Amino acid sequence: MKISSYAALQAGEALVPYEYDAGPLAAEDVQVAVDYCGVCHSDLSMIDNEWGGSRYPLIAGHEVIGRVVALGDAAQNKGLHIGQRVGIGWTAKSCQHCDACIEGDQVNCENGKTSTINNHGGFASHLRANWQWVIPLPDALDIATAGPLLCGGITVFKPLLMRNISATSRVGVIGIGGLGHMAIKLLRAMGAHVTAFSSSAAKTDSIKAMGADRVVNSRDPQALSALAGQFDLIISTVAVDLDWKPYYQALARRGAFHTVGAVMKPFEVPAFSLIVGDRALTGSSTGSPGQLRALLKLASRSDIAPQVEAFPMSQVNEALEHLRAGKANYRVVLKADF
């Protein structure tokens, strides 16, 4: 089958129309017609080969909302059916037999494939993925805004599961952008006390409207030092290097500083910042199929929707430049118009 897409032919280049032959549908795979695809900063990183390892032509896009149009022979009777609304996130395939897969940690599969790096992505008319990574959408979920939940949303939801966050937890979120604003909405739904750390005073009212209990100026050393010992968890969503020491000191006993932002410089961690109070510095990637299903159920039940701006997919380069310039409010979603 021929699939239409928009691809980067070389690192950093504008995307161009690109058609490829997907070949026969693999037994474990599902073919999904793309209706919407979120644009993530990771797409820019992959297009620009910022992390190394990108292969071209590269078809980005890993926050797909679409419809099942074909099922491989071994994907039959797996709870999916033709015409069903589904989502596909960062991971497209996993082997189902390595230790990670057997333990339900498929996102760390030794032989896995992501939607962008090893598998053609969702800036396209169609996308293929292993059946277990094709996530059924709850009926009440808004398909026009749900795409970012499949990468940005699960990225900030997973630490909440890892740290057993509940209504009694005190959580801080650094960086209230594409990831951070979803973290606040999820934490609000879970009943936790939420502190947002932001460098933009102009966002204070909108951040509180999302569900933050308080907003702290991340550039004010005195405001940060006043929070010593308060947080069970602090999630950093930023991809820039900061002075992290005040945040380590803001952790409560057995608290954790958790990064999901791809900061390219090493973290400086004074040993006693962790030793005193049994604190931890941790990180995580995206989530398993089970965690993705749990997230979408929570989002549907609690009416959690990412705040998005929409572009037609034919304007994908304009959308990418909008994101690159830091103008996104808060996420960008492409609507397929092939």
Side-chain angles (χ1 to χ4, degrees):
M1 175 182 173
K2 297 287 187 180
I3 292 179
S4 300
S5 72
Y6 293 95
L9 302 184
Q10 298 291 334
E13 288 188 355
L15 275 56
V16 296
Y18 178 78
E19 186 176 82
Y20 68 95
D21 188 346
L25 185 63
E28 299 275 354
D29 282 1
V30 178
Q31 183 155 299
V32 173
V34 177
D35 290 321
Y36 298 91
C37 186
V39 182
C40 179
H41 202 279
S42 299
D43 292 314
L44 291 178
S45 296
M46 291 303 305
I47 290 167
D48 295 345
N49 200 20
E50 180 181 354
W51 301 335
S54 295
R55 294 184 290 182
Y56 302 88
L58 185 143
I59 303 169
H62 54 270
E63 296 179 344
V64 171
I65 299 294
R67 292 157 286 116
V68 174
V69 294
L71 296 162
D73 291 343
Q76 307 282 340
N77 302 315
K78 296 293 194 301
L80 299 170
H81 57 82
I82 302 299
Q84 185 175 11
R85 293 284 185 180
V86 294
I88 301 171
W90 177 255
T91 307
K93 298 184 180 181
S94 50
C95 73
Q96 304 181 50
H97 59 75
C98 69
D99 287 347
C101 284
I102 294 298
E103 292 171 6
D105 190 24
Q106 299 96 325
V107 70
N108 289 312
C109 174
E110 298 167 7
N111 306 295
K113 293 186 178 182
T114 70
S115 294
T116 301
I117 300 173
N118 315 101
N119 193 73
H120 291 311
F123 294 172
S125 60
H126 296 79
L127 175 68
R128 291 180 176 182
N130 182 270
W131 63 266
Q132 64 179 329
W133 291 101
V134 178
I135 312 299
L137 298 184
D139 291 338
L141 210 59
D142 177 20
I143 61 171
T145 61
L149 291 170
L150 295 159
C151 178
I154 189 63
T155 296
V156 293
F157 184 55
K158 185 175 179 179
L160 311 186
L161 300 178
M162 292 171 64
R163 301 300 300 184
N164 298 312
I165 295 304
S166 70
T168 63
S169 302
R170 298 159 297 171
V171 181
V173 180
I174 304 172
I176 314 305
L179 293 176
H181 92 284
M182 285 187 276
I184 290 174
K185 292 187 176 192
L186 290 166
L187 286 162
R188 178 73 171 196
M190 297 169 74
H193 185 277
V194 189
T195 297
F197 295 99
S198 175
S199 60
S200 176
K203 286 185 175 181
T204 297
D205 289 342
S206 64
I207 292 172
K208 287 187 174 180
M210 292 172 192
D213 294 284
R214 60 181 171 181
V215 180
V216 175
N217 185 347
S218 59
R219 294 178 177 173
D220 185 343
Q222 290 185 331
L224 294 177
S225 63
L227 301 174
Q230 292 194 17
F231 296 97
D232 302 301
L233 174 66
I234 295 177
I235 301 174
S236 175
T237 70
V238 299
V240 296
D241 189 45
L242 300 176
D243 179 7
W244 305 111
K245 298 180 187 66
Y247 296 105
Y248 304 149
Q249 294 303 317
L251 295 174
R253 178 174 57 88
R254 296 182 181 175
F257 179 96
H258 190 101
T259 182
V260 295
V263 181
M264 302 308 290
K265 292 184 66 175
F267 281 88
E268 291 188 12
V269 188
F272 280 103
S273 293
L274 304 181
I275 292 171
V276 175
D278 297 346
R279 298 163 174 155
L281 173 61
T282 57
S284 62
S285 57
T286 60
S288 69
Q291 291 167 336
L292 281 161
R293 290 180 181 225
L295 169 61
L296 296 186
K297 289 175 184 176
L298 175 61
S300 176
R301 185 170 62 245
S302 300
D303 195 23
I304 298 170
Q307 187 168 322
V308 307
E309 296 177 90
F311 287 74
M313 195 171 287
S314 57
Q315 293 180 17
V316 60
N317 286 307
E318 290 86 343
L320 289 170
E321 288 308 310
H322 188 69
L323 177 60
R324 198 187 299 274
K327 296 179 180 179
N329 182 34
Y330 282 75
R331 300 288 287 193
V332 173
V333 170
L334 303 175
K335 187 180 189 302
D337 59 348
F338 290 94

XYZ file of all heavy atoms in Angstrom, residues 21 76 83 105 108 113 120 122 183 194 211 272 301:
98
model
N 5.949 2.950 -0.033
C 5.233 1.683 -0.104
C 5.399 0.971 1.227
O 6.511 0.584 1.591
C 5.780 0.822 -1.243
C 4.934 -0.426 -1.489
O 4.100 -0.761 -0.624
O 5.128 -1.066 -2.534
N -6.173 -9.979 15.024
C -7.606 -10.228 15.110
C -7.958 -10.659 16.543
O -7.147 -11.231 17.253
C -7.998 -11.356 14.137
C -7.544 -11.151 12.708
C -8.405 -10.164 11.951
O -9.541 -9.894 12.325
N -7.865 -9.639 10.856
N -12.848 0.547 11.913
C -13.612 1.758 12.176
C -13.459 2.299 13.588
O -13.926 3.407 13.875
N 6.486 -3.862 31.269
C 7.265 -2.638 31.082
C 7.660 -2.518 29.608
O 8.810 -2.263 29.267
C 8.504 -2.695 31.982
C 9.258 -1.384 32.049
O 8.638 -0.327 31.806
O 10.469 -1.410 32.347
N 10.145 -0.186 27.699
C 11.583 -0.416 27.778
C 11.991 -1.722 27.108
O 13.018 -2.306 27.434
C 12.034 -0.405 29.242
C 11.988 0.995 29.826
O 12.474 1.950 29.225
N 11.391 1.134 31.006
N 10.324 -0.463 18.958
C 10.440 0.551 17.915
C 9.515 1.711 18.247
O 8.363 1.515 18.595
C 10.060 -0.029 16.546
C 11.040 -1.078 16.028
C 10.686 -1.498 14.610
C 11.699 -2.504 14.070
N 11.412 -2.883 12.674
N 7.914 4.505 10.578
C 7.372 5.731 10.002
C 6.259 6.285 10.893
O 5.406 5.547 11.374
C 6.833 5.460 8.606
C 7.909 5.168 7.610
N 9.035 5.964 7.463
C 8.034 4.168 6.697
C 9.787 5.474 6.504
N 9.221 4.376 6.019
N 3.438 9.636 12.249
C 2.049 10.019 12.018
C 1.817 11.291 11.234
O 0.665 11.701 11.074
N 0.439 18.143 33.259
C 0.740 17.636 34.603
C -0.170 18.289 35.635
O -0.702 17.614 36.534
C 2.206 17.886 34.944
N -0.864 21.208 44.268
C 0.023 21.458 43.137
C 0.642 22.854 43.214
O -0.066 23.856 43.334
C -0.740 21.340 41.801
C 0.237 21.383 40.632
C -1.578 20.075 41.766
N -5.614 24.534 37.523
C -5.720 23.716 38.724
C -4.589 23.845 39.704
O -4.592 23.174 40.738
N 24.904 15.317 49.549
C 24.075 15.451 50.742
C 22.654 15.950 50.418
O 21.763 15.841 51.256
C 24.740 16.365 51.776
C 25.790 15.650 52.566
C 27.141 15.845 52.299
C 25.443 14.750 53.569
C 28.114 15.182 53.019
C 26.413 14.074 54.287
C 27.756 14.280 54.011
N -12.888 10.537 32.134
C -13.747 10.646 33.322
C -13.665 12.023 33.965
O -14.659 12.542 34.475
C -13.340 9.568 34.327
C -14.233 9.505 35.554
C -13.936 8.271 36.380
N -12.574 8.235 36.890
C -11.663 7.333 36.551
N -11.943 6.402 35.660
N -10.455 7.360 37.070
